[in-house]
Amino acid sequence: MLDEYLARIRAHRKNIHRYRRLLKSNLSDVERQFIEKRLTEEQTALEFLSAETFPLAFSLRKGRTCRQTSPSYSREGA
């Protein structure tokens, strides 16, 4: 089951990479709008799937790192 989730995550990441690469190319307005919409959909799907697959790893607020969430230890006696 985990292998299936990881494969789906990998597919979404590849799609996101492909859409970002396409956005750097010369596109018409209609094509650009379509690619931007698909990119947003893929990013949303990836976030949802990642949170579902790894619920604890993504329960932190955005912008915080592991170092920021760990308790600070004082250097008493040093």
Side-chain angles (χ1 to χ4, degrees):
M1 184 75 164
L2 184 60
D3 289 339
E4 180 182 321
Y5 280 112
L6 294 177
R8 290 172 58 197
I9 287 172
R10 218 173 8 259
H12 286 300
R13 290 185 66 185
K14 286 181 180 181
N15 288 341
I16 289 169
H17 178 73
R18 184 175 70 246
Y19 292 141
R20 285 181 178 160
R21 191 179 71 243
L22 284 171
L23 285 173
K24 293 177 183 178
S25 65
N26 195 12
L27 300 170
S28 70
D29 290 339
V30 173
E31 291 170 326
R32 183 167 300 281
Q33 288 174 354
F34 176 79
I35 298 297
E36 287 172 347
K37 179 182 176 191
R38 290 295 301 140
L39 177 60
T40 302
E41 291 171 354
E42 288 289 339
Q43 289 171 331
T44 302
L46 176 62
E47 289 174 11
F48 177 78
L49 185 59
S50 296
E52 182 180 329
T53 306
F54 307 107
L56 296 177
F58 293 97
S59 63
L60 300 174
R61 292 188 317 195
K62 285 187 176 182
R64 294 192 64 165
T65 63
C66 292
R67 186 174 294 161
Q68 290 172 321
T69 59
S70 62
S72 298
Y73 296 103
S74 64
R75 298 182 119 184
E76 293 178 23

